[in-house]
Amino acid sequence: SAAPTTCYSIKIAIIYNNCYSTHTSWDLQTIGADGILTEIKSYKENDENASLHTEFMCLQEGEYELTIDTQYPCLVGGNGVEYYNVTTSSGVLIAEGGEFLFSETIKFSLPFIASPSLAPSSLLTSQASS
């Protein structure tokens, strides 16, 4: 019989700008040892009046990649996502961002070990730069 697997609770929170929340989606994948991505969960916002989406998950130890897509920039400036973050169950910030154009991808590892020398902004990569 397999030993019980430890899982690590995380929370994804996305705050939408006041436009086009329904054009926002996200995709969480695990990065295998071979570099192959395997989808864990994806979500597309269906409520055009939504201002916030939160998702709670318990994930196994490993490397993860979260991509947030927003298809249209706001006419008033900015885009569909004002701010997002990923936190541990105890509220420790794993990554954060927002106001990106079209798509943003972050990578993180679990269990998460906070490093004072690594600012969250250095974890952010935008599609424009890759």
Side-chain angles (χ1 to χ4, degrees):
S1 66
T5 314
T6 302
C7 75
Y8 301 91
S9 297
I10 66 156
K11 175 180 154 189
I12 298 171
I14 299 174
I15 298 172
Y16 302 118
N17 273 338
N18 57 357
C19 66
Y20 301 132
S21 59
T22 51
H23 294 304
T24 302
S25 61
W26 59 260
D27 191 45
L28 180 69
Q29 300 180 97
T30 181
I31 307 170
D34 48 11
I36 292 176
L37 297 170
T38 306
E39 172 135 292
I40 292 179
K41 178 149 195 176
S42 63
Y43 177 83
K44 167 124 179 40
E45 184 58 66
N46 296 314
D47 179 4
E48 62 186 25
N49 296 313
S51 59
L52 172 70
H53 173 73
T54 54
E55 189 83 29
F56 295 88
M57 278 177 278
C58 206
L59 303 173
Q60 295 178 10
E61 180 173 347
E63 303 281 319
Y64 293 90
E65 184 172 291
L66 174 68
T67 299
I68 303 172
D69 286 297
T70 178
Q71 292 172 318
Y72 298 100
C74 285
L75 299 176
V76 294
N79 67 9
V81 174
E82 185 171 317
Y83 175 77
Y84 70 86
N85 68 24
V86 181
T87 54
T88 67
S89 55
S90 58
V92 175
L93 184 67
I94 296 174
E96 66 179 342
E99 295 292 355
F100 52 87
L101 199 59
F102 301 121
S103 176
E104 186 155 279
T105 298
I106 55 154
K107 293 186 169 108
F108 61 93
S109 301
L110 293 174
F112 179 70
I113 294 130
S115 165
S117 61
L118 190 65
S121 59
S122 63
L123 296 173
L124 298 178
T125 56
S126 101
Q127 221 172 36
S129 63
S130 55

